[in-house]
Amino acid sequence: MKLYNLGRVSWWESQCYYHALSYLGREGLIICSPTSAYVCLGLHDDLKSEIAVDYCQKKNIPLLRRETGGGVVYLDSNQVFYQMVLRRDNPLLPLQRGRFYPYFLKPAILTYRKLGIPAQLHAPADITVKGRKCSGNAAGDIGESVAYVGNILLDFDYERMSRVLRIPCPEVQPFLNWSMQLYMTTIKDWLDYIPGYQEIAGMLVEGFSQTLGELYPAELDLEVIEVAAKLYTKLTGSKWLSLPGRKQQQRRIKIAEGVYLEEDAQMEERSTFALNDNGEVMATFSFTDKSLYQLQQIMSQT
Amino acid sequence: MQVEGYNIPEDFFYDTNNYWIKVNNDEAIIGISAYGQSTIGDVLYVDTIDKGNYIKKLEDAGSVEAGKWVGRIIVPISGTILEKNGAVIKEPGLLNSDPYGKGWILRLQINEKNELNELMDAKAYAKWVQEQVAKEQEDEMLI
């Protein structure tokens, strides 16, 4: 398989090249990292329900809707991406696309482990360290291809992410921030240094070589670059971004697999939020009482 | 008939993208087979193009999201959309729980009747499903 180890690329290039390869029906593995931050919606995310659009505009955070699944993600230069494109007729690819994740995620898990971080697969598509999510992954059929994409978190801006997501009232933001910190982790939490792009990319390439066989270093040709440029216009266009998506009766924000911050439909006050971990309510937040004080107490205990 | 634990109604047509097609004179109802829905997992979101649109065979008529994967709804025959199933759009899980009943996706006015000759009958589809299940078991070995 061809390997496109792109290094640092612009924010839109970090999404558009795997889309371009997919539409061209050309298999390949891309490793890259964006030079600046952006917000990336899943194909069926509803822009107005999910994103604090005003905040993103104010902070000049661009938006892009990818053609793979999963939810809204905040992406920046503290993340390294691995993106695999396979033709739909590739015999490696199971009909049940989710069953390919263990194979696809093995190199990323090995990368964490080489750094001494005990990462493991949390089915279907999360990588976790001691129960905390450290990598987000998604897949989608694009053209005649299937794209699998994921990231390694060197560090994460929880504050920024908690402001990018739409919440019904500003008081929920610290609760969201805290919930993400409780259920997510990054390489920075485990090492006394943050590895550079080259170190992580090298480990990923080694891992993918073990699972895919020999990788052939390649450079993007003009055809891919031109298609990617056209896709940039499409994937960031206002019509595409505003496509109708999943609507929610109550606001529900996914933190990790099985973990949600959600409005409590059982209670009359819509201002009550619960942190739900696979059906178990871990914490609730209602700002009709002295909840900020309570929240601070909960946070100080964790 | 039952094949590998999957129900395959005998009076339907099928294609290799696991769509079933029930023909009634010049109309067809389209859905995803029991085997097909099992390969994509729990469906979280379905949307299709609207009534009145003409769509060619194998063109994109909408999309499906299941877990961490998004795929396209590719119509197995050409035709004009007469109706999209609002119930399945509202409750995508119907596609899993009742694939041949409440989980239907689109009703079409058939445009090219000869395209039906290119589809599989239940017997041929059952054989194809058996081959796919065997292939999946081989994939399991690879991974």
Side-chain angles (χ1 to χ4, degrees):
Chain A
M1 178 177 280
K2 282 188 176 177
L3 165 68
Y4 302 92
N5 187 353
L6 304 181
R8 298 283 181 185
V9 293
S10 68
W11 65 272
W12 65 269
E13 287 175 300
S14 70
Q15 290 293 323
C16 290
Y17 290 136
Y18 77 78
H19 282 86
L21 287 179
S22 300
Y23 276 113
L24 290 166
R26 288 163 56 172
E27 297 194 333
L29 172 70
I30 296 175
I31 313 280
C32 66
S33 178
T35 50
S36 62
Y38 64 105
V39 170
C40 189
L41 292 90
L43 184 63
H44 294 137
D45 283 325
D46 188 76
L47 176 69
K48 286 186 178 168
S49 305
E50 297 284 345
I51 305 284
V53 177
D54 290 349
Y55 176 81
C56 292
Q57 284 172 345
K58 194 174 158 190
K59 296 291 178 185
N60 292 317
I61 302 171
L63 305 175
L64 181 147
R65 183 193 293 282
R66 63 184 183 273
E67 295 194 47
T68 57
V72 172
V73 284
Y74 175 76
L75 304 170
D76 68 12
S77 59
N78 281 315
Q79 299 170 34
V80 178
F81 301 164
Y82 43 94
Q83 302 158 337
M84 186 190 290
V85 175
L86 297 172
R87 285 186 54 84
R88 285 200 214 182
D89 57 4
N90 188 314
L92 266 179
L93 198 60
L95 282 170
Q96 191 172 339
R97 306 293 194 230
R99 289 178 55 250
F100 190 68
Y101 277 114
Y103 188 87
F104 172 65
L105 296 179
K106 196 174 170 188
I109 293 169
L110 289 174
T111 297
Y112 280 103
R113 288 185 183 170
K114 276 180 200 160
L115 293 166
I117 303 169
Q120 60 184 50
L121 177 70
H122 183 106
D126 273 0
I127 300 175
T128 58
V129 184
K130 298 195 172 173
R132 295 163 71 190
K133 178 176 178 168
C134 63
S135 168
N137 300 279
D141 285 17
I142 304 175
E144 284 304 304
S145 308
V146 183
Y148 284 83
V149 298
N151 60 3
I152 283 188
L153 301 175
L154 304 173
D155 194 3
F156 193 69
D157 192 339
Y158 299 100
E159 176 67 18
R160 181 56 65 92
M161 176 69 178
S162 66
R163 292 186 183 279
V164 155
L165 294 173
R166 193 193 68 77
I167 46 175
C169 50
E171 289 87 345
V172 178
Q173 189 263 332
F175 192 28
L176 173 58
N177 185 331
W178 169 76
S179 301
M180 285 193 292
Q181 294 199 48
L182 194 62
Y183 282 93
M184 289 174 66
T185 189
T186 71
I187 285 179
K188 188 188 172 188
D189 298 332
W190 298 88
L191 303 181
D192 53 10
Y193 77 107
I194 299 179
Y197 171 84
Q198 292 300 346
E199 186 178 355
I200 298 295
M203 289 179 186
L204 284 170
V205 169
E206 192 181 329
F208 277 108
S209 302
Q210 285 171 15
T211 55
L212 292 172
E214 194 166 358
L215 297 171
Y216 303 95
E219 291 188 4
L220 296 170
D221 56 57
L222 194 60
E223 186 181 31
V224 178
I225 291 168
E226 284 179 354
V227 172
K230 284 180 188 161
L231 285 164
Y232 163 62
T233 307
K234 172 189 168 185
L235 300 180
T236 60
S238 57
K239 193 176 169 190
W240 174 255
L241 288 174
S242 302
L243 283 175
R246 276 183 299 254
K247 298 274 196 253
Q248 301 171 325
Q249 294 289 325
Q250 278 86 31
R251 185 74 174 108
R252 192 173 197 237
I253 299 169
K254 187 172 181 180
I255 309 284
E257 199 58 46
V259 180
Y260 296 89
L261 188 66
E262 53 195 6
E263 279 184 305
D264 190 345
Q266 303 303 314
M267 303 184 74
E268 287 181 7
E269 297 162 350
R270 286 178 61 81
S271 54
T272 299
F273 268 72
L275 177 60
N276 190 320
D277 180 348
N278 290 288
E280 187 180 353
V281 175
M282 308 302 289
T284 57
F285 173 49
S286 167
F287 47 88
T288 54
D289 52 20
K290 295 176 182 173
S291 54
L292 276 174
Y293 172 70
Q294 290 172 346
L295 177 62
Q296 282 161 1
Q297 281 200 317
I298 295 168
M299 290 164 76
S300 67
Q301 288 163 12
T302 54
Chain B
M1 71 177 80
Q2 289 281 326
V3 171
E4 305 283 352
Y6 301 106
N7 182 24
I8 301 177
E10 294 187 29
D11 51 343
F12 291 7
F13 291 103
Y14 300 88
D15 79 350
T16 54
N17 286 316
N18 293 307
Y19 290 98
W20 56 259
I21 302 98
K22 185 182 181 183
V23 177
N24 185 10
N25 297 322
D26 290 338
E27 289 184 17
I29 297 175
I30 291 166
I32 297 178
S33 72
Y35 170 67
Q37 63 83 20
S38 81
T39 68
I40 55 179
D42 291 343
V43 178
L44 305 173
Y45 182 87
V46 179
D47 200 10
T48 66
I49 60 170
D50 291 325
K51 179 183 170 181
N53 280 294
Y54 172 75
I55 189 136
K56 276 188 178 174
K57 179 185 174 178
L58 300 183
E59 275 186 357
D60 211 342
S63 59
V64 174
E65 181 157 358
K68 291 276 190 168
W69 168 83
V70 171
R72 304 309 171 115
I73 295 171
I74 300 164
V75 289
I77 51 171
S78 308
T80 303
I81 311 284
L82 296 173
E83 187 181 1
K84 61 184 200 179
N85 184 359
V88 90
I89 290 167
K90 197 172 174 186
E91 194 183 335
L94 287 172
L95 222 145
N96 299 106
S97 61
D98 193 6
Y100 300 112
K102 291 176 184 167
W104 64 275
I105 300 171
L106 290 169
R107 189 162 63 87
L108 289 179
Q109 177 80 42
I110 300 171
N111 190 258
E112 304 280 347
K113 268 211 158 179
N114 58 338
E115 286 176 355
L116 296 173
N117 300 329
E118 295 159 26
L119 300 171
M120 290 182 274
D121 62 13
K123 196 175 165 188
Y125 181 64
K127 185 170 178 282
W128 187 82
V129 168
Q130 282 176 321
E131 288 168 5
Q132 299 311 303
V133 171
K135 181 176 171 287
E136 282 205 25
Q137 284 162 354
E138 285 172 25
D139 289 342
E140 195 81 52
M141 304 279 284
L142 272 173
I143 292 170

